[in-house]
Amino acid sequence: MSRTVYVNGHYIPEEEAKISIFDRGFLFADGVYEVTSVLNGKLIDFEGHAKRLERSLNELDMDHPVNTEELLSIHRELVSRNNIEEGLVYLQVTRGVADRDFAYPKSASPTLVMFTQAKPGLSNSPQAQTGIKVISIPDMRWDRRDIKTVQLLYPSMGKMMAKAKGADDAWMIEDGFVTEGTSNNAYIVKNSKIITRQVGHEILNGITRRAVLRFAAEQNIDIEERPFTIEEALEADEAFITSATTFVTPVIEIDGTVIGNGQPGSTATALRSIYLEESLKAAI
Amino acid sequence: MSRTVYVNGHYIPEEEAKISIFDRGFLFADGVYEVTSVLNGKLIDFEGHAKRLERSLNELDMDHPVNTEELLSIHRELVSRNNIEEGLVYLQVTRGVADRDFAYPKSASPTLVMFTQAKPGLSNSPQAQTGIKVISIPDMRWDRRDIKTVQLLYPSMGKMMAKAKGADDAWMIEDGFVTEGTSNNAYIVKNSKIITRQVGHEILNGITRRAVLRFAAEQNIDIEERPFTIEEALEADEAFITSATTFVTPVIEIDGTVIGNGQPGSTATALRSIYLEESLKAAI
């Protein structure tokens, strides 16, 4: 069945959803995006994603296509039209259409594209039960990972490198320290303390990261925000990732070495439950 | 007047030239490109661009949309249909259309998009006569600049930073050394010797660069391929850039400091003449 997607004010069948070849999102990767999860037909952390989108646009001097209220209403309309119970809403804003020139166009209207993906079982995925395996790879991305741009070729390459080694994802290493996963934040747990890299230009300021750290603090779990090495991760009691669509997912193996006892850790498991419970309460 | 552009086998008016919002070039910057100059209605260095495209596709495990012979024929058809005397042909290949997933799709046909830009006076631009001004900025791009991907947001930002300072372009600095310009290779001349960074993952292996260095060698001009600093550039006798559409263009000012006597240098001027003369002879 064909999805209904949104392109610049129009709700249309996905087969007809097209943008100009002169869109700067296509020619220059001059665009940003957000992914919001849907559980029980409701949006998780919408406000956080809307705020981060606003920041990304501001950092790139890009115009806002719609205000937050309109953005919410389009999200809800797409969820409704596509009967999404569990899944996600993807949104992308680009600087718009102009004849090709590295310099920004003087006047161009931003492009807004949105679509849903149904993911039945998202809240209870097999990976949450079994944990995932990751490999480490050098972080070769650009230096402003705090801006959520569509320059995602290297994360895609990283995912393929992981698959080639029988793993699920890759953690990226810069100057000897883990930055983050290909599309998630990375954590280890040692002596009941959560260790995760502090935010900055080096990593994305994860919306799920922020919520999970808040819930952890409320549970009186110690948190240390600092870079850690793969060697430290291999010696950890637990490891896990967070993202809008994986919530909290345990990591049970890194570069072929089993972490802890090779089973999803208790901290990750508890945080996943709390996150899902609290997020569902706050979902809109 | 509307251009005729090429999209996946079809010659169509530019207003109708669209691609799916699910094209990985749009969602992941999962695409590569080439720009070939046109002078006297003929293609400059076509073979070099076709070979580099092939390399970019191979580095990314991306399928080839058409063979070199077909690629040449599309170039010529576009030049002819759009009556391009001086200008360029832009081509972009992406991994194709698939539902959004970081992992490469198992089966997707590559997207091929091509269009022309008319640039009357390209071979005799005012900037070639006056020279250009550049500023230096940190190089924040990803680490595989030898692959000509469409991840061009930072070069676009660099162009805007240059404009904001009344300059024409930016030279990017990594670990203290110049890598290249936002869309061109960078050179200095000291004591009649050309100094330019050696090829590697750090810079694009310029097609024009290769030709210009060959012509320089034939003129018995010394060439030293090594990184240089901005401080060294400020003390140079000359500076210049090369690219497919600027050919050889003198740089007369860097970060507000005049280079040499502030006029286009004799080496750059001579190399531009030789490059244009020889390229026109070999144009197809």
Side-chain angles (χ1 to χ4, degrees):
Chain A
M1 199 187 70
S2 168
R3 272 172 292 184
T4 295
V5 305
Y6 175 95
V7 181
N8 289 331
H10 303 284
Y11 292 92
I12 46 183
E14 58 182 314
E15 297 77 17
E16 295 169 21
K18 292 177 192 294
I19 48 131
S20 167
I21 62 167
F22 294 99
D23 193 286
R24 288 181 61 93
F26 185 67
L27 297 178
F28 291 101
D30 191 1
V32 298
Y33 75 106
E34 287 290 336
V35 177
T36 301
S37 271
V38 178
L39 293 177
N40 292 353
K42 291 184 170 176
L43 300 163
I44 305 296
D45 279 334
F46 171 79
E47 202 185 342
H49 291 287
K51 275 194 180 148
R52 188 171 61 190
L53 172 65
E54 203 172 315
R55 179 180 181 278
S56 291
L57 293 171
N58 290 343
E59 288 292 315
L60 297 177
D61 295 319
M62 212 180 278
D63 287 341
H64 298 232
V66 295
N67 64 32
T68 304
E69 205 178 320
E70 290 168 297
L71 198 64
L72 175 58
S73 122
I74 304 166
H75 274 78
R76 284 175 161 164
E77 185 68 24
L78 283 176
V79 168
S80 160
R81 289 195 186 212
N82 294 292
N83 300 309
I84 305 294
E85 269 302 302
E86 295 206 341
L88 61 86
V89 182
Y90 174 90
L91 81 83
Q92 180 170 335
V93 180
T94 78
R95 202 179 302 276
V97 176
D99 200 13
R100 187 176 185 277
D101 187 347
F102 279 80
Y104 302 164
K106 286 201 180 67
S107 66
S109 300
T111 296
L112 174 59
V113 162
M114 289 176 58
F115 57 83
T116 55
Q117 287 182 328
K119 304 264 186 194
L122 184 65
S123 63
N124 192 24
S125 74
Q127 290 195 331
Q129 313 304 319
T130 60
I132 64 167
K133 299 175 182 181
V134 304
I135 60 166
S136 63
I137 60 173
D139 194 338
M140 302 180 75
R141 298 172 301 163
W142 82 320
D143 293 352
R144 287 301 304 274
R145 300 152 200 160
D146 58 312
I147 310 174
K148 201 168 168 70
T149 78
V150 295
Q151 297 177 117
L152 296 173
L153 179 53
Y154 189 66
S156 286
M157 293 167 76
K159 192 72 90 174
M160 297 310 287
M161 289 183 241
K163 279 184 166 235
K165 290 202 170 177
D168 304 290
D169 200 19
W171 280 11
M172 293 181 276
I173 314 291
E174 187 170 59
D175 300 330
F177 294 95
V178 173
T179 52
E180 56 191 336
T182 60
S183 57
N184 46 69
N185 289 120
Y187 307 74
I188 56 174
V189 181
K190 184 73 178 180
N191 301 329
S192 303
K193 184 195 283 177
I194 294 173
I195 300 160
T196 193
R197 191 169 185 127
Q198 73 281 9
V199 296
H201 288 181
E202 299 76 19
I203 65 167
L204 186 72
N205 190 345
I207 303 303
T208 310
R209 175 188 185 281
R210 202 181 319 165
V212 166
L213 291 185
R214 190 174 70 242
F215 298 137
E218 287 169 9
Q219 301 291 313
N220 295 315
I221 302 173
D222 282 345
I223 299 160
E224 202 175 331
E225 294 186 66
R226 63 162 173 84
F228 60 86
T229 65
I230 279 290
E231 293 68 33
E232 193 178 359
L234 296 180
E235 298 294 320
D237 302 326
E238 288 185 43
F240 63 92
I241 57 166
T242 66
S243 78
T245 53
T246 60
F247 313 118
V248 180
T249 296
V251 171
I252 53 155
E253 200 179 292
I254 301 175
D255 286 337
T257 297
V258 165
I259 304 304
N261 63 4
Q263 298 298 313
S266 56
T267 310
T269 304
L271 284 174
R272 183 180 175 94
S273 295
I274 297 166
Y275 177 78
L276 284 173
E277 192 183 331
E278 295 296 323
S279 297
L280 274 168
K281 277 189 215 161
I284 59 174
Chain B
M1 199 187 70
S2 167
R3 272 171 293 184
T4 294
V5 306
Y6 175 96
V7 182
N8 289 331
H10 303 284
Y11 292 91
I12 45 183
E14 59 181 315
E15 297 78 16
E16 295 169 21
K18 293 177 191 293
I19 49 131
S20 167
I21 62 166
F22 295 100
D23 193 287
R24 289 182 60 93
F26 184 68
L27 297 179
F28 291 101
D30 190 0
V32 297
Y33 74 105
E34 287 290 335
V35 177
T36 301
S37 271
V38 177
L39 294 177
N40 292 354
K42 290 182 169 177
L43 299 163
I44 304 296
D45 280 332
F46 170 79
E47 204 186 340
H49 291 287
K51 276 193 179 150
R52 189 172 60 191
L53 171 66
E54 204 173 312
R55 179 180 181 278
S56 291
L57 293 171
N58 290 342
E59 288 292 316
L60 298 176
D61 295 319
M62 211 181 279
D63 287 341
H64 298 231
V66 295
N67 65 31
T68 306
E69 205 177 321
E70 290 167 297
L71 198 65
L72 175 58
S73 123
I74 303 166
H75 273 78
R76 284 175 161 162
E77 185 69 23
L78 283 175
V79 168
S80 160
R81 289 195 187 211
N82 294 291
N83 301 308
I84 306 294
E85 270 301 301
E86 294 206 340
L88 61 86
V89 182
Y90 174 90
L91 81 83
Q92 180 169 334
V93 181
T94 79
R95 202 178 302 275
V97 175
D99 200 12
R100 188 176 184 276
D101 187 347
F102 279 79
Y104 301 164
K106 285 201 181 68
S107 65
S109 301
T111 297
L112 174 59
V113 162
M114 289 175 61
F115 58 82
T116 55
Q117 287 182 327
K119 304 265 185 194
L122 184 66
S123 63
N124 192 24
S125 74
Q127 290 195 331
Q129 314 302 317
T130 60
I132 64 168
K133 298 174 181 181
V134 304
I135 60 166
S136 63
I137 61 173
D139 195 338
M140 302 180 75
R141 297 172 300 163
W142 82 321
D143 293 350
R144 288 300 305 274
R145 300 152 200 160
D146 58 312
I147 310 174
K148 201 168 168 71
T149 78
V150 294
Q151 296 179 118
L152 295 173
L153 179 53
Y154 189 67
S156 286
M157 293 168 77
K159 192 71 91 174
M160 297 310 287
M161 290 183 238
K163 279 185 166 235
K165 292 203 168 177
D168 303 291
D169 199 20
W171 280 10
M172 293 181 276
I173 314 291
E174 187 170 59
D175 300 329
F177 294 96
V178 173
T179 52
E180 57 191 336
T182 60
S183 57
N184 47 69
N185 289 120
Y187 308 74
I188 56 174
V189 181
K190 184 73 178 180
N191 300 328
S192 304
K193 184 196 284 177
I194 294 173
I195 300 160
T196 192
R197 191 169 184 126
Q198 73 280 11
V199 295
H201 287 181
E202 299 76 20
I203 65 167
L204 186 72
N205 189 345
I207 304 302
T208 310
R209 176 188 185 280
R210 202 181 318 166
V212 165
L213 290 185
R214 189 174 71 244
F215 297 138
E218 286 169 9
Q219 301 291 314
N220 294 315
I221 302 174
D222 282 346
I223 299 161
E224 202 174 330
E225 294 186 66
R226 64 162 173 83
F228 60 87
T229 65
I230 280 289
E231 293 67 34
E232 193 178 1
L234 296 180
E235 298 294 320
D237 301 325
E238 289 185 42
F240 63 92
I241 58 167
T242 67
S243 79
T245 54
T246 60
F247 312 117
V248 180
T249 296
V251 171
I252 54 156
E253 202 180 289
I254 300 175
D255 286 336
T257 296
V258 164
I259 305 303
N261 62 4
Q263 299 298 314
S266 56
T267 310
T269 305
L271 284 174
R272 182 180 175 94
S273 295
I274 297 167
Y275 176 78
L276 284 172
E277 192 183 331
E278 294 297 323
S279 297
L280 275 168
K281 276 189 214 161
I284 59 173

